[in-house]
Amino acid sequence: MSDKYQGFVSTPIGKLLVKNLGLPSPTKLERYEAGAPLVDGTVLVGGTGRLAESLPGLLDLLGIASTATAGECERIKGVVFDASGLTDSTQLVALRDFFTPILRSLDSCARVVVIGTPPELTSGPERVAQRALEGFTRSLGKEIGKGSTVQLVYVAEGSEAGVTSTLGFLLSPKSAYVSGQVVRIGVHGKGTVTEVADHTRPLAGKVALVTGASRGIGEAIARVLHRDGAKVVGLDVPQAASELQTLMKELDGDWLTLDISGDDAPQRIAHHLAEKHGGVDVVVHNAGITRDRKLANMAPNDKGDRWAQVLGVNLTAPERITRELLDQGVVNEGGSIVGVASIAGIAGNVGQTNYAASKAGVIGLVDSLADELKDSITINAVAPGFIITQMTAAVPFATREVGQRLNAMAQGGLPVDVAETIAWYANPASSLVNGNVVRVCGQMMLGA
């Protein structure tokens, strides 16, 4: 589905109205295309922290050109500033001194990454300084404009080698609709940094289960994981069997049709993955439903029981399936579990107490398991904001427009934006990325 407003403001009359009326003027976002370089330009590297000296080498592994001198770039496509060495609040002036001279030299759709040390792993003045980085990056993300993004990556001491896949994601168009986010690396256990032979196909030889895979965001997830080399096992309800089989045949994948909220669903899924594929490496809990109604009107005996249906599909089913796969040892060593939450689970939404509870619960699932998982298995979540799909196209015009404009990029995201974020989590090189919840929302103005 297309953004008609964005198309209009690019016309001569649209540009005139934007200028005279002060209307939002969203920049067309650059998105990754298979075979393209991760960064089409040069990344400026600065700072004096723990990773400063190793950053050029890490970027070189990804095929990303870097420089330490802004004057060597006609336009700057990316920036990585290592602030992990800031140990008290007086040193925060280094942020202003570094960024102020270069901001007007940033190219459109530029990517800015600030690296810090997790505040919870520090104390005293250092903790104060490192926590301050969150306010800086989130504010800069709302200032920067031109389709550009700003992220903060907290790297635990001893986990510096595990930052490569995250830099590749955040500096590339794969993170087009992700901004103002905080990523933690190595906080929930140090683990082992996994080497990937081919950064263009990091999931080669891996098996990925995607629930709700027949269309929309689920279809995009399946396509991106397939692009990255995975054998995709798509799962959906029997009513979607035709669409699901057509997609999986196209992707040379496998499929399974069932209701994930069924009593025997976890056992059936585990049996299928173990018997046909010898286990699973990536589990994406994408399937979800909405049954919106204000809580005052959501009677316990209403038709279909809106509360029980939504909680059952969106939260209880992922909990039960995850537990069954783990208990039976179906998730392979180094595997990745990803939950699809929602901005509604963070900021809330009128008429969605059931949906918001279920999506906040997905975040709770990540929190509860991040320190419990063994065999270097990770668990993370994405929290999409307004994503343009067939479902959101049916939302009333005024509501849809507010949803799309109420973010720093003044536009809705695409299903592929969610899929790319999940592919980053699933990348074996992201083995130290654990316990994270990243919003894919264009830095929505609501929610933390």
Side-chain angles (χ1 to χ4, degrees):
M1 307 299 293
S2 61
D3 184 339
K4 293 181 180 179
Y5 174 83
Q6 190 172 11
F8 169 71
V9 298
S10 65
T11 65
I13 188 172
K15 292 177 181 178
L16 182 64
L17 290 174
V18 165
K19 181 178 180 181
N20 292 332
L21 299 179
L23 298 173
S25 182
T27 299
K28 183 177 181 180
L29 302 182
E30 297 174 1
R31 289 184 168 86
Y32 180 75
E33 295 183 6
L38 286 177
V39 179
D40 185 14
T42 303
V43 172
L44 177 66
V45 177
T48 57
R50 288 180 285 112
L51 288 91
E53 292 186 4
S54 62
L55 282 172
L58 294 176
L59 295 178
D60 186 59
L61 290 173
L62 296 167
I64 299 174
S66 64
T67 179
T69 307
E72 295 180 2
C73 312
E74 184 175 338
R75 300 293 291 175
I76 301 169
K77 196 63 179 178
V79 179
V80 182
F81 182 79
D82 185 0
S84 63
L86 304 183
T87 56
D88 67 64
S89 60
T90 64
Q91 296 175 1
L92 292 168
V93 70
L95 298 168
R96 183 204 63 190
D97 293 346
F98 177 81
F99 281 101
T100 299
I102 67 169
L103 288 176
R104 289 185 173 86
S105 298
L106 293 181
D107 204 350
S108 62
C109 296
R111 306 277 175 256
V112 175
V113 177
V114 175
I115 295 175
T117 300
E120 60 270 33
L121 301 183
T122 63
S123 60
E126 183 179 5
R127 184 167 189 165
V128 173
Q130 290 299 317
R131 182 59 178 81
L133 297 177
E134 295 188 31
F136 173 80
T137 52
R138 284 179 170 143
S139 295
L140 183 57
K142 293 178 179 179
E143 288 185 13
I144 197 167
K146 298 187 298 183
S148 299
T149 63
V150 181
Q151 325 289 353
L152 173 59
V153 180
Y154 282 133
V155 183
E157 192 166 355
S159 299
E160 293 81 4
V163 77
T164 307
S165 67
T166 300
L167 289 176
F169 171 64
L170 295 178
L171 289 172
S172 76
K174 294 181 178 182
S175 58
Y177 201 59
V178 177
S179 189
Q181 298 307 290
V182 179
V183 175
R184 284 172 163 78
I185 297 178
V187 174
H188 295 278
K190 295 297 187 290
T192 302
V193 179
T194 304
E195 299 291 337
V196 173
D198 183 355
H199 287 286
T200 66
R201 287 176 58 81
L203 297 177
K206 305 295 184 181
V207 176
L209 171 71
V210 180
T211 68
S214 66
R215 62 179 181 171
I217 293 174
E219 177 185 350
I221 296 168
R223 290 187 180 279
V224 170
L225 296 182
H226 168 73
R227 178 203 69 192
D228 283 1
K231 175 78 171 184
V232 178
V233 180
L235 186 155
D236 218 316
V237 293
Q239 301 93 302
S242 179
E243 292 174 288
L244 179 65
Q245 291 177 21
T246 298
L247 176 63
M248 289 302 112
K249 287 177 181 177
E250 179 188 340
L251 303 182
D252 192 28
D254 184 20
W255 62 85
L256 184 61
T257 55
L258 53 78
D259 176 357
I260 61 170
S261 63
D263 290 342
D264 64 345
Q267 292 76 23
R268 290 175 61 188
I269 294 169
H271 178 79
H272 183 91
L273 292 171
E275 291 299 312
K276 290 199 66 176
H277 302 283
V280 66
D281 301 283
V282 181
V283 177
V284 183
H285 293 297
N286 167 71
I289 61 172
T290 57
R291 298 289 186 270
D292 297 351
R293 180 169 288 184
K294 288 186 177 180
L295 187 61
N297 301 321
M298 200 179 297
N301 59 349
D302 69 354
K303 185 178 179 180
D305 195 341
R306 295 167 186 265
W307 184 275
Q309 282 189 355
V310 170
L311 270 292
V313 172
N314 296 1
L315 179 57
T316 304
E319 281 187 278
R320 294 177 62 233
I321 292 167
T322 298
R323 179 54 60 192
E324 186 72 20
L325 294 177
L326 292 172
D327 287 349
Q328 291 199 29
V330 178
V331 181
N332 295 327
E333 183 176 355
S336 173
I337 300 168
V338 184
V340 177
S342 170
I343 192 71
I346 297 171
N349 208 6
V350 175
Q352 289 196 318
T353 52
N354 52 356
Y355 183 76
S358 72
K359 293 304 184 178
V362 170
I363 296 172
L365 181 62
V366 171
D367 291 341
S368 70
L369 290 179
D371 290 321
E372 176 185 325
L373 297 174
K374 309 297 183 183
D375 299 324
S376 299
I377 297 170
T378 62
I379 184 166
N380 298 280
V382 294
F386 192 99
I387 304 298
I388 300 173
T389 62
Q390 289 180 331
M391 183 175 69
T392 56
V395 173
F397 175 80
T399 304
R400 187 170 69 246
E401 281 303 300
V402 170
Q404 291 185 94
R405 309 305 156 209
L406 204 61
N407 62 75
M409 296 181 180
Q411 59 191 287
L414 300 180
V416 70
D417 299 322
V418 181
E420 293 285 16
T421 307
I422 289 171
W424 156 58
Y425 281 146
N427 187 330
S430 299
S431 52
L432 300 188
V433 180
N434 186 30
N436 287 269
V437 179
V438 167
R439 291 180 294 144
V440 185
C441 64
Q443 197 175 7
M444 199 169 185
M445 301 302 182
L446 301 175

